[in-house]
Every structure is written in structure tokens, then in C-alpha cells.
């Protein structure tokens, strides 16, 4: 396989010689018959260019725990990007903001800015397999960016 190129379709001549075309796995299976040039099987493969840098999104959620008012704004550094997320009701999973443009496979650290009178009491990552580490004391979570969205939720309670 060549970087940036993927199979998008395949066909044969004669048409009935194609046994299987599986572009996702870069696979074509053809039936070969005995005989001379008149019985040859020709395989045609169509390629397409794909982005070599695929990106994913991190969804930062803020949950208002005991003593934290719904709507209180919290600041986060998501890699080199900054976002403010208001605390939302716990029974709704908090309020969230999407931060996009992260390279898939990269580790990104999400840090909640310190705020007097509150402390982080929980950090969760979904899917859980993307969590590299989380530290309540430093208000950080490091995740591996995957396809689609990685959700990181921070819950605070009043001290």
C-alpha cells in the first residue's frame, strides 16, 4: 500500500472473474482459467487519494457537582487550544464543547484551570480505551485521539 492512496473499486474482464473486491483491506480475488491469451483475466483497480492526516475531535464536558452552580464557567487548555465550558447538571452529563482538528493517534492533554473554592473530584474518558492518564490533583487528563469524538468529562465539587 502507498501512503495517501487507497483502493476504491475493482473489476475484471471478463466480468464474471471477480470473486471478491474488498477495498477496505486492499484485497481483490480473481478467478484464473486455463488457456491462452484469449482466456486471460484482467484486473482493474481504481484508487483514490485519502488524507494522510486524519483528525479527531475532543468533547470537553463540565459537570456541576455538589456546591457548584450550574452555568459557572470553567477554562480548559485542550492541547494548544483554549475553551470555556459552563458547568451543567450532573443528571444530564454536564455541558460540553467540541474542540476539533487533532491528529488521530496523537496524545493530547486537557487541563482545567485552577479555580478557588472548587476541586476536581472525577475525570472520565469515553471511550475508556483512549485514556492515557488522569490526575485529579493537577486537573489533567491525557487522551489518545481516535476517529470521531473522544469525550472527557470533569466533575467539580465545592471545597
Amino acid at each position: 500500500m502507498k501512503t495517501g492512496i487507497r483502493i476504491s473499486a475493482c473489476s475484471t474482464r471478463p466480468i464474471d472473474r471477480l470473486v471478491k473486491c474488498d477495498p477496505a483491506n486492499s484485497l481483490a480475488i480473481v478467478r484464473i482459467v486455463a488457456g491462452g491469451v484469449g482466456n486471460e483475466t484482467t484486473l482493474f483497480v481504481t484508487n483514490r487519494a485519502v488524507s494522510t492526516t486524519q483528525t479527531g475531535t475532543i468533547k470537553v464536558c463540565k459537570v456541576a457537582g455538589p456546591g457548584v452552580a450550574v452555568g459557572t464557567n470553567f477554562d480548559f487548555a485542550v492541547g494548544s487550544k483554549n475553551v470555556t465550558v459552563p458547568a451543567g447538571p450532573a443528571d444530564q452529563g454536564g455541558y460540553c464543547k467540541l474542540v476539533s482538528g487533532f491528529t488521530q493517534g496523537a496524545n493530547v492533554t486537557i487541563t482545567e484551570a485552577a479555580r478557588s473554592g472548587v476541586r476536581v473530584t472525577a475525570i472520565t474518558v469515553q471511550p475508556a480505551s483512549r485514556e492515557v492518564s488522569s490526575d485529579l490533583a493537577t486537573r489533567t487528563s491525557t487522551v489518545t485521539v481516535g476517529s470521531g469524538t473522544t469525550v472527557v468529562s470533569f466533575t467539580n465539587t465545592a471545597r
Side-chain angles (χ1 to χ4, degrees), residues 61-66 68 90 112 119-124 136 153-157:
C61 297
K62 185 67 203 168
V63 178
V68 175
E112 179 184 308
R119 64 187 175 95
V120 175
T121 54
I123 300 172
T124 60
L136 298 177
S153 297
F154 288 75
T155 302
N156 283 47
T157 58

Side-chain angles (χ1 to χ4, degrees), residues 41-76:
T41 300
T42 305
L43 172 64
F44 300 93
V45 176
T46 304
N47 292 320
R48 65 179 171 88
V50 294
S51 171
T52 57
T53 307
Q54 305 229 350
T55 60
T57 300
I58 296 174
K59 183 177 183 181
V60 179
C61 297
K62 185 67 203 168
V63 178
V68 175
V70 170
T72 303
N73 285 327
F74 289 84
D75 296 320
F76 292 87

Side-chain angles (χ1 to χ4, degrees), residues 5 7 10 17 19 21 27 32 37 40 42-43 56 69 76 80 83 91 100 105 118-119 126-127 138 145 155-156:
I5 304 293
I7 292 175
C10 39
R17 304 270 175 88
V19 175
C21 181
L27 175 70
I32 305 295
V37 174
E40 72 184 3
T42 305
L43 172 64
F76 292 87
S80 63
V83 64
D91 63 347
S100 58
V118 296
R119 64 187 175 95
Q126 290 299 323
T138 60
V145 178
T155 302
N156 283 47

Side-chain angles (χ1 to χ4, degrees), residues 73-158:
N73 285 327
F74 289 84
D75 296 320
F76 292 87
V78 184
S80 63
K81 302 175 183 188
N82 296 313
V83 64
T84 299
V85 183
D91 63 347
Q92 295 177 17
Y95 294 146
C96 307
K97 292 223 177 148
L98 294 172
V99 186
S100 58
F102 297 101
T103 302
Q104 286 183 26
N107 286 346
V108 175
T109 299
I110 301 94
T111 304
E112 179 184 308
R115 186 182 184 95
S116 64
V118 296
R119 64 187 175 95
V120 175
T121 54
I123 300 172
T124 60
V125 177
Q126 290 299 323
S129 61
R130 295 187 185 164
E131 181 176 21
V132 175
S133 65
S134 289
D135 187 328
L136 298 177
T138 60
R139 309 165 94 86
T140 62
S141 181
T142 300
V143 299
T144 301
V145 178
S147 64
T149 303
T150 303
V151 181
V152 183
S153 297
F154 288 75
T155 302
N156 283 47
T157 58

